[in-house]
Amino acid sequence: MRATTLQRNKALRGNATGARGNAKKVAGRLALAVVAVSLAACTAPGGQATTGGQAATQAAAAASASPKPSSPAAGTKTAPEATAALQRTMADVLGSVVAANPKPATADITSALTAAGVPARSLEVSAGRTPTGLEVDSMEAAAVQAKECVIGQIRDRKVTVTVLPALSNGKCFVGAAG
């Protein structure tokens, strides 16, 4: 009887440990979902952009003045090296964009990142205005590298870059982004 009880207790402890691990995974996925939903709130249908051609030109010039990295998917870099390089590129380019214009337009961010070598097909940028025409509190740009998303956010003239897993559809943002 005692041996059966010990085996049952070990099994329960194993299940509890597995449940904790699953809870951490679920919490991580929930946090990712919250970020994705908040990004979707900033994405307007059709990828609306505001004016700001001069800032886009300045940002593109600043980005092209710095050495262009090769395409994140190209070259002999390993996936972690390519992700780290994309993370640095995203931080540098978004920093120069926000220095040129504290409230950049979607087009400003898109042109600066593509000029810096980020492939347009892997790039997603949030809208600069809400569907009702209001200015957004933050702008986000994301690029897929392997199965990860390098996400940069501009808020209050500060740039934050993070790496999160890509969504199951291979994208970074949830919503109507084109």
Side-chain angles (χ1 to χ4, degrees), residues 20-114:
R20 264 182 269 153
N22 287 338
K24 287 180 181 179
K25 287 180 186 176
V26 169
R29 289 181 182 150
L30 181 59
L32 177 61
V34 169
V35 169
V37 169
S38 68
L39 293 175
C42 297
T43 306
Q48 292 176 322
T50 58
T51 59
Q54 183 180 9
T57 304
Q58 290 172 346
S64 62
S66 63
K68 287 185 184 181
S70 61
S71 171
T76 59
K77 294 180 182 178
T78 64
E81 290 171 338
T83 300
L86 181 57
Q87 205 172 356
R88 285 188 301 274
T89 299
M90 184 82 70
D92 293 344
V93 171
L94 292 180
S96 66
V97 168
V98 79
N101 180 4
K103 297 282 188 177
T106 301
D108 299 339
I109 295 170
T110 302
S111 63
L113 286 169
T114 54

Side-chain angles (χ1 to χ4, degrees), residues 118-146:
V118 177
R121 69 185 174 282
S122 73
L123 185 62
E124 299 173 60
V125 180
S126 64
R129 296 211 169 264
T130 67
T132 58
L134 300 174
E135 205 170 75
V136 296
D137 294 333
S138 66
M139 294 284 299
E140 288 81 17
V144 177
Q145 172 58 48

